[in-house]
Amino acid sequence: MAPKSTHCREGEAGYNVLVNGTMGDTLRSQTISTQLQQIAQQAADYPDSVFTTLAHKIDIPFLREAYRRTKKKGAPGVDNMTAKEYAVNLEANLTDLHKRLKEGRYFAPPVKRVWIKKENGKERPIGIPGFEDKIVQRAVEMLISPIYEQIFYDFSMGFRKGRSQHQAIHYLREQCRIRNTNWIISADITGLFDNINKKMLKDLIRLRVNDGGIIRLIGKWLNAGVMEDNRTTYPDKGTPQGGVVSPVLSNIFLHYVLDDWFVKAVIPRLKGKCFIIRYADDFIIGCETETDANRIMDVLPKRFGSYDLSLHPTKTVIIPFGKPSASLRKDKRNGKFDFLGFTFYWARSLKGYWIIKKKTSGKRLRRFMKMLWQWTRAYRHDPAWDQHITLCSKLRGFYQYYGVRNNYKALETVFEYAEKAWRYWLSKRSQRSTVRMKDLRKKYPFPKPRIVHNI
């Protein structure tokens, strides 16, 4: 009997190890995924329903899963707490966090603001929330995203699971082809994240999610303030840039402001074919007729103005973009437009047919090459092997995004520029150093340009 009893205890101990260890984490993740799938199914089955009881689902296992899905490599927020430090007492921290959430004592700290340079020389603000705040934002995002995924349109591609910029690019090209597009409206929303009306946003969220706990948390993030140079300010509009929940909030806002309105109110009133593609705050509208394009252009600023948003007056334009023909007059020559870092234009294929091609936009190409020049200059005194590893990584990243058909020339240009810039600054390390390109290519070869995406 003794061996049998010992075997049972060992089996129970092994089971406990599995439940509390890796297998336990897997089982808990599967349970939460099932809960989220059930929410999504309910939202799909009852498209007009309003969800009023969601916050209670944010328990300790749910927060643990939100922690698991939160990126750990980000910079710390105003509390200077890193993911590594938070993980030291993870269970105690999550238990305390859950208690504060349950009792309504959770405090959303201000967002740390930093500035990054844009290609035009200006700076763009980025917000860095505290790590614990990222966990709570992730938990709320996990709850509300399955609900809104059921009403978001397929042409909304930004910040959604299973969708990417390259899918948006492919969708745009195909729609231009099948919709007989002759005119493009290229639109630019002026400072979306900085100008979203907070009250309007919460009112729009309540159309689908009217849980008091969730709305209060969103309100706390909207009113948390921004800390810069040890000073905290409280903007009266806008969402916190850099926040985990900000992308889904902006998608909800633009769904009602633009997407749903365009499908239900604009398209039925047009005479010709039309389409829209949106990635976050960038969107393109294609029209078959110039009349439709002009009508849309007239109402777009009014529509955005009614929600306290504006379109850039010079960057929002109508561009002729029909398939070229022999009878096309010189003054009506086709234009080109940019979307998600690519320039779209008409050109002939190798067989002589007119097709829509895409290439890296000029400003993106110049920005990347400028970055290469500045980097090779700044780090020229580091060991050559370390420099080579980093430069190869940067080139692969460029190929991974811009490696699409008909864009090989841009990849080749970047490849050759990287070699020349690196050789130039390696030669400047001292007056006696001379670096020959032949030797550099042999000892430190860069990855060759390649087409990654067949779109």
Side-chain angles (χ1 to χ4, degrees):
M1 295 295 294
K4 183 177 181 180
S5 177
T6 302
H7 174 74
C8 290
R9 286 195 295 270
E10 289 177 352
E12 291 172 359
Y15 175 78
N16 289 334
V17 169
L18 289 174
V19 169
N20 294 321
T22 304
M23 181 175 287
D25 291 340
T26 302
L27 291 174
R28 285 190 289 266
S29 295
Q30 292 175 348
T31 301
I32 292 170
S33 295
T34 301
Q35 292 178 1
L36 298 178
Q37 290 172 5
Q38 291 172 348
I39 293 174
Q41 189 61 50
Q42 184 179 354
D45 293 341
Y46 303 97
D48 296 326
S49 63
V50 179
F51 289 78
T52 58
T53 54
L54 289 173
H56 71 281
K57 295 182 180 294
I58 304 180
D59 53 15
I60 295 177
F62 200 94
L63 289 172
R64 192 181 296 115
E65 178 65 13
Y67 164 82
R68 188 185 70 81
R69 298 188 186 188
T70 301
K71 293 181 180 180
K72 312 297 190 298
K73 295 183 179 180
V78 295
D79 57 359
N80 292 321
M81 174 69 73
T82 64
K84 185 177 181 180
E85 292 170 341
Y86 196 86
V88 172
N89 297 305
L90 180 60
E91 290 305 312
N93 288 333
L94 293 179
T95 300
D96 178 65
L97 174 59
H98 175 253
K99 184 178 180 181
R100 283 180 281 136
L101 287 169
K102 189 176 181 180
E103 296 175 356
R105 296 186 293 107
Y106 179 75
F107 170 75
V111 175
K112 182 195 292 186
R113 172 172 286 175
V114 296
W115 295 84
I116 60 173
K117 288 186 177 181
K118 299 172 65 175
E119 60 270 8
N120 58 6
K122 297 182 180 179
E123 291 185 320
R124 180 165 64 93
I126 290 294
I128 305 176
F131 182 74
E132 186 175 69
D133 205 42
K134 291 180 182 179
I135 297 174
V136 183
Q137 290 192 33
R138 176 63 66 191
V140 170
E141 183 274 332
M142 288 165 55
L143 273 178
I144 67 176
S145 285
I147 297 171
Y148 286 100
E149 278 296 318
Q150 311 311 313
I151 64 172
F152 285 163
Y153 292 97
D154 289 340
F155 58 75
S156 172
M157 299 283 189
F159 306 118
R160 296 178 62 189
K161 187 176 181 180
R163 300 172 189 269
S164 67
Q165 286 123 317
H166 291 97
Q167 287 178 326
I169 293 164
H170 177 70
Y171 180 92
L172 171 58
R173 184 178 179 275
E174 287 301 297
Q175 290 297 309
C176 284
R177 182 179 64 84
I178 65 178
R179 301 282 181 180
N180 193 28
T181 299
N182 293 301
W183 301 89
I184 290 289
I185 298 176
S186 179
D188 184 271
I189 304 175
T190 304
L192 172 67
F193 290 94
D194 291 331
N195 293 290
I196 288 180
N197 185 298
K198 298 178 182 180
K199 182 181 182 304
M200 289 183 180
L201 173 60
K202 290 193 289 185
D203 289 341
L204 292 175
I205 293 173
R206 288 190 182 98
L207 295 176
R208 194 72 167 132
V209 175
N210 197 17
D211 181 292
I214 300 297
I215 297 297
R216 280 193 294 273
L217 281 174
I218 293 174
K220 288 181 179 181
W221 291 320
L222 294 176
N223 298 311
V226 177
M227 180 174 287
E228 184 178 5
D229 297 330
N230 294 322
R231 290 184 56 200
T232 303
T233 57
Y234 298 92
D236 57 359
K237 57 183 179 179
T239 62
Q241 292 194 43
V244 176
V245 78
S246 292
V248 69
L249 295 183
S250 64
N251 267 340
I252 292 171
F253 197 73
L254 286 181
H255 169 79
Y256 290 106
V257 174
L258 178 63
D259 303 352
D260 201 48
W261 165 77
F262 192 85
V263 169
K264 295 179 180 179
V266 176
I267 292 181
R269 292 174 168 81
L270 300 179
K271 295 181 179 180
K273 297 177 182 178
C274 183
F275 77 89
I276 183 173
I277 173 69
R278 181 174 68 81
Y279 193 94
D281 57 342
D282 293 330
F283 68 94
I284 295 290
I285 297 173
C287 297
E288 184 178 11
T289 69
E290 185 177 8
T291 301
D292 285 342
N294 287 326
R295 290 179 65 192
I296 294 173
M297 194 67 167
D298 287 340
V299 298
L300 267 180
K302 300 174 185 177
R303 177 65 181 179
F304 278 88
S306 64
Y307 286 88
D308 290 350
L309 293 176
S310 61
L311 298 175
H312 198 285
T314 58
K315 295 182 180 180
T316 303
V317 293
I318 298 178
I319 302 167
F321 198 72
K323 185 177 180 179
S325 63
S327 61
L328 196 67
R329 298 199 311 271
K330 185 176 181 180
D331 60 339
K332 290 290 186 179
R333 193 177 302 167
N334 268 330
K336 53 187 178 180
F337 65 94
D338 291 348
F339 184 62
L340 298 180
F342 289 91
T343 297
F344 292 79
Y345 62 100
W346 281 97
R348 290 191 182 275
S349 68
L350 294 177
K351 295 183 178 181
Y353 300 113
W354 284 107
I355 61 172
I356 298 174
K357 292 186 177 182
K358 49 197 172 298
K359 61 182 179 180
T360 307
S361 65
K363 64 180 182 182
R364 292 290 183 94
L365 190 63
R366 290 190 295 271
R367 181 175 68 179
F368 188 79
M369 291 194 296
K370 181 180 179 181
M371 180 276 297
L372 286 176
W373 180 266
Q374 293 175 338
W375 192 93
T376 51
R377 178 184 180 182
Y379 294 93
R380 64 187 183 275
H381 294 296
D382 286 4
W385 179 254
D386 290 343
Q387 293 185 54
H388 178 252
I389 291 175
T390 301
L391 287 170
C392 287
S393 177
K394 292 180 183 296
L395 286 174
R396 289 192 189 98
F398 189 87
Y399 302 159
Q400 185 64 35
Y401 187 78
Y402 291 105
V404 300
R405 284 188 299 173
N406 304 315
N407 195 37
Y408 188 83
K409 184 177 180 180
L411 307 186
E412 199 172 42
T413 299
V414 164
F415 173 83
E416 294 173 354
Y417 187 85
E419 285 188 329
K420 292 178 182 178
W422 195 32
R423 176 186 175 275
Y424 179 85
W425 287 111
L426 285 178
S427 299
K428 293 292 183 179
R429 295 208 286 191
S430 69
Q431 293 181 349
R432 296 182 179 180
S433 63
T434 301
V435 180
R436 295 193 306 173
M437 184 66 76
K438 182 179 179 180
D439 296 336
L440 195 65
R441 288 172 175 169
K442 184 177 180 180
K443 190 173 183 179
Y444 299 109
F446 283 154
K448 298 291 186 180
R450 66 190 185 95
I451 301 302
V452 179
H453 305 280
N454 188 27
I455 58 173

